[in-house]
């Protein structure tokens, strides 16, 4: 079973600052990794898939990188609406089952 | 508009059963793998189950195997989750989600469309 670890648990930043979120897998997941944003009381929203591809309608300030076991979500300049919880998620090669990381909360400093 | 709408949540006693439904619209439902994902109060996301386009393959997280059954009716554009032998730890918001597909129809990496969720509370 692949386990995802996210760091830090909480990231306190100001609007306009750069956010760097980490996701580490217990074994290689190739590029089978996605990132989601979730705000209180809302469903998750897909940001990044296949490690580095932005989903439809996602602003260019969001970018993903990495492969194998180490992945990064970068928000180049935080907007007020970006303060939320971010989850990484992997899909196993076979069978196609999913695992989420524990999440990183980005809050206002 | 692409949309998923869940229903069927509620309060149920431990050991009881509940059936969740998810109505899909705005896309060709029969072309996509579908998933259920849950979120316990104040906790993170947990994937629960997947089902292939034609229902021939189904996968579950270990904690629900033998208790939950995912199914679909492509004629009705609907996804279901039958939950039996419910436990307090099954209390959560349950989301229905569409799984991306590759050009070969294989399940993609991510879930790109989500419903608003339905709340299940297991308590006596």
């Amino acid at each position: 079973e692949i386990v995802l670890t996210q760091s830090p648990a909480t990231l306190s930043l100001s609007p306009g600052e750069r956010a760097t979120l980490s996701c580490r897998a217990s074994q290689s997941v190739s590029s089978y990794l996605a990132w989601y944003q979730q705000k209180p009381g809302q469903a998750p929203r897909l940001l990044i898939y296949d490690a580095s591809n932005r989903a439809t309608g996602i602003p260019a300030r969001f970018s993903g990188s990495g492969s194998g076991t180490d992945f990064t979500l970068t928000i180049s300049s935080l907007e007020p609406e970006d303060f939320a919880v971010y989850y990484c998620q992997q899909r196993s090669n076979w069978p196609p089952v999913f695992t989420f990381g524990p999440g990183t909360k980005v809050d206002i400093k | 508009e692409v949309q998923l709408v869940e229903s069927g949540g509620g309060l149920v006693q431990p050991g009881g059963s509940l059936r969740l439904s998810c109505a899909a619209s705005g896309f060709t439902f029969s072309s996509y793998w579908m998933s259920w994902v849950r979120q316990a109060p104040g906790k993170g996301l947990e994937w629960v189950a997947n089902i292939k386009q034609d229902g021939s393959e189904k996968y579950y997280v270990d904690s629900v195997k033998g208790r939950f059954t995912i199914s679909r009716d492509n004629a009705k554009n609907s996804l279901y989750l039958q939950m039996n032998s419910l436990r307090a730890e099954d209390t959560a918001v349950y989301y229905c989600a569409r799984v991306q597909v590759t050009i070969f129809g294989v399940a993609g990496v991510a879930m790109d469309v989500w419903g608003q969720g339905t709340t299940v509370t297991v308590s006596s």
Side-chain angles (χ1 to χ4, degrees), chain B residues 61-117:
Chain B
V61 68
D62 286 348
S63 59
V64 308
K65 283 180 182 176
R67 300 189 300 123
F68 289 13
T69 301
I70 189 172
S71 63
R72 63 193 297 162
D73 184 335
N74 288 340
K76 294 183 178 179
N77 291 333
S78 292
L79 177 72
Y80 306 102
L81 186 67
Q82 177 67 43
M83 303 185 296
N84 298 332
S85 302
L86 282 161
R87 306 166 180 169
E89 54 265 35
D90 296 318
T91 294
V93 175
Y94 284 74
Y95 296 101
C96 163
R98 186 180 80 173
V99 181
Q100 292 179 322
V101 289
T102 70
I103 57 173
F104 305 107
V106 176
V109 171
M111 293 167 270
D112 62 351
V113 179
W114 294 67
Q116 84 291 346

Side-chain angles (χ1 to χ4, degrees), chain A residues 21-38:
Chain A
L21 287 66
S22 174
C23 177
R24 178 164 290 178
S26 59
Q27 58 186 277
S28 177
V29 298
S30 185
S31 295
Y32 293 173
L33 193 105
W35 290 92
Y36 301 84
Q37 176 194 67
Q38 188 180 35

Side-chain angles (χ1 to χ4, degrees), chain A residues 22-105:
Chain A
S22 174
C23 177
R24 178 164 290 178
S26 59
Q27 58 186 277
S28 177
V29 298
S30 185
S31 295
Y32 293 173
L33 193 105
W35 290 92
Y36 301 84
Q37 176 194 67
Q38 188 180 35
K39 297 179 182 178
Q42 296 185 17
R45 176 174 73 144
L46 176 64
L47 299 175
I48 302 288
Y49 65 94
D50 293 352
S52 60
N53 295 313
R54 269 191 305 276
T56 301
I58 301 304
R61 64 181 181 274
F62 291 92
S63 63
S65 63
S67 66
T69 61
D70 290 297
F71 300 87
T72 301
L73 174 70
T74 301
I75 310 171
S76 59
S77 178
L78 282 163
E79 296 288 339
E81 61 267 28
D82 299 336
F83 292 92
V85 179
Y86 293 84
Y87 295 95
C88 59
Q89 168 252 308
Q90 68 88 24
R91 196 216 83 183
S92 298
N93 190 31
W94 197 262
V97 298
F98 297 135
T99 306
F100 286 93
T104 290
K105 182 178 182 180

Side-chain angles (χ1 to χ4, degrees), chain A residues 38-45, chain B residues 3-10 18-23 35-40 45 79 81 83 91-98 113-121:
Chain A
Q38 188 180 35
K39 297 179 182 178
Q42 296 185 17
R45 176 174 73 144
Chain B
Q3 196 172 12
L4 297 170
V5 179
E6 302 94 336
S7 61
L18 211 55
R19 189 196 197 205
L20 305 183
S21 298
C22 171
S35 282
W36 287 99
V37 175
R38 67 184 178 183
Q39 187 169 35
L45 301 170
L79 177 72
L81 186 67
M83 303 185 296
T91 294
V93 175
Y94 284 74
Y95 296 101
C96 163
R98 186 180 80 173
V113 179
W114 294 67
Q116 84 291 346
T118 188
T119 300
V120 172
T121 303

